[in-house]
């Protein structure tokens, strides 16, 4: 038997006791989780490890509820990893554990959760000598070793292959629509795509706290969001026997934790990547070609740093001789943000596009417009990629004609003109097939943007009114269609339009004013 006090006194774990009201509580295993309500996944006796990321802004009442749920589940102790969400153990958590008489341990940043799991596993095995080579204790140790080796590769596929072997069932990563993006690994479970998609749709409102399960005869499908902060982009789907062994339960919990940490690391990397990609695109569309291409080279260098050393290669200087296309997409801010994230994933997973197939983009107009630059033949395949279509199907899409790198600003004008004029959502319209040119092609962009700022100054800091104006103009003032686009009841639309009219200071039903506002929106850029 391993006691909580043994973790402090007799083991070289590097953890610190914060509060030990029940030092002789028996520890049965270690569970690392970032769930706000993990009790339903616990059996009792666990040392629960968490960084507390989902509790970063929690009030005292939330900490009390969290601790109370752990106490009710029979948890032996709670270990808080400091140095990520919290520099020190919060006083509210300390007080909640004192009230609930729950042992509280601090895990410094330099101590990994995996090392604690290994050490506790060894301690448990040492105290249970009667368990033979084929017994449960050895099985748990093997699971720990298998997953720890996989996690050392910092690779989702390696972890999931190990998990599939442990569960002896299918394991896959799915996107928000239920489409498989990594895997599947393990014995195939046929015909589960609809069940996975329905389960994800059901748990999505719960964000990172959601989880769902579906019975499949003598098997069970479990879907869990992957990540710690923000909205989940991927979900772990496992198909397993109804009753798991303790070792299998350990494997699921540990693999899920590793996947969550990889996802968070990827988000930080993606943030840097998006900044660099956006800066490169802005320079190129402003005609600053040398700086834009230099930044594009840095994008590839950044991506290549994620590769193991033997796979890295030098990035040759970018030439400007190949042809480009510019794509303009307009839609809701959520769709634009989602598409931008997918593009970043495509860029990283392809290890950076080869020279001549660059993929760059930026968001503007309050996050409702996306401008993409790509090699002339890469753009059509990009728009047909199954990972982007769930986002683009709700957006207007305009594609420029082929242009040289020095003509990218003109290409952007073409794409913007086509995008603004199209009514069909999800259908890419090319400049070559769009018909007569637009009057916007005759205007100087700098002067047009000054005109836009003057016209839209009254709603510049109110994105909901900017979006209402865009929909109002694109739907020619039709109240029912405006309501459908906004997702509101039609009776609420007139009051919204009154607010818009007052903020703009013009009669939005006047034809000339509508034309002015349309031009202003066309060139609006924050």
């Amino acid at each position: 038997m391993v006691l909580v006090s043994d973790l402090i006194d007799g083991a070289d774990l590097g953890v610190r006791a914060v509060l030990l009201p029940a030092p002789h509580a028996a520890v049965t295993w270690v569970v690392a989780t970032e769930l706000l309500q993990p009790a339903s996944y616990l059996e009792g006796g666990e040392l629960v490890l968490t960084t507390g990321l989902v509790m970063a802004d929690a009030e005292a009442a939330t900490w009390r509820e969290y601790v109370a749920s752990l106490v009710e589940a029979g948890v032996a102790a709670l270990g808080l990893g400091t140095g990520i969400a919290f520099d020190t153990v919060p006083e509210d958590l300390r007080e909640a554990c004192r009230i609930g008489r729950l042992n509280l341990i601090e895990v410094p940043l330099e101590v990994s959760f995996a090392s604690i799991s290994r050490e506790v596993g060894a301690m448990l095995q040492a105290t249970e000598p009667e368990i033979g080579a084929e017994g449960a204790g050895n099985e748990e140790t093997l699971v720990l070793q298998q997953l720890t080796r996989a996690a050392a590769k910092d690779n989702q596929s390696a972890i999931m292959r190990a998990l599939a072997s442990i569960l002896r069932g299918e394991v896959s990563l799915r996107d928000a629509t239920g489409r498989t993006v990594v895997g599947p690994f393990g014995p195939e479970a046929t015909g589960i795509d609809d069940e996975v998609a329905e389960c994800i749709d059901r748990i999505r409102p719960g964000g990172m706290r959601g989880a769902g399960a579906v019975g499949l005869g003598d098997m069970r499908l479990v879907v869990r969001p992957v990540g710690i902060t923000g909205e989940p982009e991927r979900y772990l789907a496992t198909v397993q026997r109804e009753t798991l062994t303790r070792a299998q339960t350990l494997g699921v919990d540990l693999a899920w934790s590793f996947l969550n940490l990889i996802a968070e690391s990827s988000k930080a990397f993606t943030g840097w990547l998006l900044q660099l990609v956006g800066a490169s695109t802005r320079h190129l569309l402003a005609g600053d070609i040398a700086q834009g291409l230099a930044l594009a080279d840095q994008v590839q260098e950044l991506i290549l740093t994620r590769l193991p050393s033997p796979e890295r290669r030098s990035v040759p200087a970018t030439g400007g001789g190949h042809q480009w296309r510019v794509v303009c997409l307009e839609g809701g801010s959520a769709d634009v943000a989602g598409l931008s994230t997918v593009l970043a994933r495509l860029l990283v997973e392809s290890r950076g596009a080869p020279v001549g197939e660059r993929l760059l983009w930026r968001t503007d107009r309050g996050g409702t417009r996306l401008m993409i630059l790509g090699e002339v033949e890469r753009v059509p395949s990009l728009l047909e990629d199954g990972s982007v279509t769930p986002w683009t199907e709700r957006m207007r899409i305009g594609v420029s004609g082929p242009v040289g790198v020095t003509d990218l600003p003109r290409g952007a004008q073409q794409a913007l003109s086509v995008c603004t004029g199209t009514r069909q959502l999800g259908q890419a319209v090319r400049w070559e097939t769009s018909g007569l040119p637009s009057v916007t092609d005759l205007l100087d962009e700098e002067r047009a943007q000054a005109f836009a700022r003057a016209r839209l100054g009254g709603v510049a800091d109110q994105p909901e009114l900017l979006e209402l104006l865009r929909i109002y103009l694109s739907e020619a003032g039709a109240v029912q269609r405006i309501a459908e686009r906004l997702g509101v009841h039609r009776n609420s639309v007139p009051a919204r339009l009154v607010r818009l009219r007052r903020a703009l200071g013009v009669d939005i039903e006047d034809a000339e004013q509508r034309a002015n506002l349309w031009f202003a929106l066309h060139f609006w850029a924050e």
Side-chain angles (χ1 to χ4, degrees):
M1 178 182 296
V2 175
L3 307 180
V4 172
S5 57
D6 295 332
L7 306 182
I8 306 300
D9 301 330
D12 187 21
L13 293 179
V15 300
R16 295 192 286 266
V18 177
L19 192 68
L20 296 180
H24 300 300
V27 177
T28 59
W29 204 242
V30 179
V31 174
T33 176
E34 299 299 336
L35 288 177
L36 183 59
Q37 298 175 332
S40 59
Y41 296 96
L42 304 175
E43 298 178 351
E46 294 90 352
L47 166 61
V48 173
L49 301 177
T50 181
T51 64
L53 277 171
V54 296
M55 308 281 282
D57 300 316
E59 298 179 351
T62 304
W63 281 117
R64 287 196 296 270
E65 292 174 6
Y66 177 76
V67 170
S69 69
L70 297 181
V71 172
E72 184 177 354
V75 166
L78 171 65
L80 179 70
T82 52
I84 298 178
F86 300 97
D87 292 331
T88 59
V89 176
E91 188 59 38
D92 288 336
L93 172 58
R94 188 192 301 261
E95 179 63 13
C97 289
R98 186 192 66 77
I99 294 172
R101 293 189 56 76
L102 177 65
N103 296 310
L104 178 60
I105 295 170
E106 180 182 0
V107 182
L109 182 61
E110 63 272 14
V111 180
S112 72
F113 288 177
S115 68
I116 294 176
S117 295
R118 287 196 300 271
E119 183 67 25
V120 172
M123 294 171 66
L124 286 169
Q125 186 175 2
T127 60
E128 298 178 8
E130 70 277 7
I131 297 180
E134 300 300 321
N138 278 346
E139 185 183 359
E140 291 160 3
T141 301
L142 291 173
V143 165
L144 275 172
Q145 293 173 346
Q146 189 173 358
L147 281 171
T148 302
R149 284 195 299 267
K153 300 177 181 178
D154 194 25
N155 180 288
Q156 290 176 326
S157 296
I159 293 171
M160 292 171 62
R161 284 193 182 92
L163 180 58
S165 173
I166 292 164
L167 291 181
R168 294 184 287 279
E170 180 180 303
V171 175
S172 61
L173 274 186
R174 309 284 181 129
D175 64 15
T177 68
R179 188 180 69 92
T180 301
V181 291
V182 181
F185 303 104
E188 182 181 4
T190 59
I192 65 169
D193 288 347
D194 290 343
E195 284 84 356
V196 173
E198 290 174 5
C199 192
I200 290 175
D201 192 54
R202 187 171 68 252
I203 68 176
R204 279 184 69 184
M208 291 299 182
R209 304 173 188 177
V214 178
L216 302 173
D218 61 345
M219 306 295 284
R220 187 172 181 81
L221 164 68
V222 180
V223 179
R224 302 170 175 85
V226 174
I228 299 173
T229 60
E231 293 298 318
E233 298 170 5
R234 295 189 176 184
Y235 293 80
L236 173 64
T238 59
V239 179
Q240 60 212 36
R241 293 196 304 269
E242 283 283 0
T243 303
L244 298 180
T245 66
R246 191 169 78 168
Q248 288 175 318
T249 300
L250 164 69
V252 173
D253 289 338
L254 194 55
W256 188 22
S257 296
F258 285 143
L259 291 172
N260 289 339
L261 293 174
I262 290 175
E264 288 305 303
S265 173
S266 177
K267 285 180 182 177
F269 173 78
T270 300
W272 285 106
L273 181 66
L274 290 177
Q275 290 186 40
L276 201 53
V277 166
S280 174
T281 306
R282 283 193 295 274
H283 281 288
L284 290 172
L285 293 183
D288 187 355
I289 307 305
Q291 182 66 12
L293 293 179
L295 288 170
D297 286 336
Q298 290 184 35
V299 170
Q300 288 193 316
E301 290 283 5
L302 179 63
I303 293 169
L304 292 175
T305 62
R306 304 279 286 186
L307 290 173
S309 297
E311 298 181 41
R312 294 180 188 171
R313 62 184 186 276
S314 61
V315 178
T318 306
H322 61 278
Q323 294 288 95
W324 300 65
R325 285 189 189 271
V326 182
V327 186
C328 177
L329 304 100
E330 291 188 344
S333 56
D335 290 329
V336 169
L339 179 55
S340 180
T341 301
V342 170
L343 293 176
R345 184 181 303 135
L346 288 174
L347 195 60
V348 172
E349 290 178 350
S350 66
R351 309 304 194 187
V355 172
E357 294 186 4
R358 297 197 180 277
L359 181 64
L360 302 168
W361 66 95
R362 75 170 190 186
T363 58
D364 54 23
R365 212 189 66 172
T368 59
R369 177 185 294 159
L370 192 70
M371 302 294 288
I372 302 176
L373 313 182
E375 190 269 342
V376 67
E377 295 305 327
R378 178 163 168 75
V379 167
S381 60
L382 169 68
L383 295 177
E384 294 169 4
D385 191 291
S387 61
V388 307
T389 51
W391 308 102
T392 59
E393 66 186 8
R394 296 187 293 268
M395 306 173 77
R396 294 198 304 273
I397 310 170
V399 183
S400 77
V403 295
V405 68
T406 57
D407 285 332
L408 282 171
R410 179 170 60 87
Q413 281 297 102
Q414 291 179 356
L416 181 58
S417 175
V418 175
C419 177
T420 305
T422 186
R423 301 283 297 235
Q424 183 68 40
L425 299 181
Q427 180 177 336
V429 179
R430 292 196 184 191
W431 171 256
E432 302 97 306
T433 61
S434 62
L436 296 174
S438 169
V439 69
T440 58
D441 302 320
L442 305 176
L443 303 179
D444 175 77
E445 184 173 5
E446 185 175 343
R447 294 181 63 186
Q449 288 181 352
F451 170 81
R453 289 191 294 271
R455 278 283 175 174
L456 300 178
V459 294
D461 58 349
Q462 302 182 70
E464 71 281 2
L465 290 184
L466 277 170
E467 180 70 3
L468 175 60
L469 176 60
R470 183 182 68 80
I471 294 173
Y472 173 81
L473 294 175
S474 67
E475 297 297 345
V479 172
Q480 182 60 41
R481 293 202 298 270
I482 293 172
E484 291 172 357
R485 292 276 298 276
L486 291 173
V488 300
H489 194 278
R490 61 168 291 142
N491 291 347
S492 71
V493 172
R496 294 168 185 258
L497 294 178
V498 169
R499 282 185 58 212
L500 178 62
R501 187 180 298 113
R502 289 174 178 170
L504 291 169
V506 298
D507 181 5
I508 59 176
E509 295 181 2
D510 179 79
E512 181 179 352
Q513 295 300 338
R514 285 195 189 192
N516 284 329
L517 291 170
W518 183 88
F519 276 108
L521 270 181
H522 185 87
F523 288 100
W524 175 254
E526 290 185 329

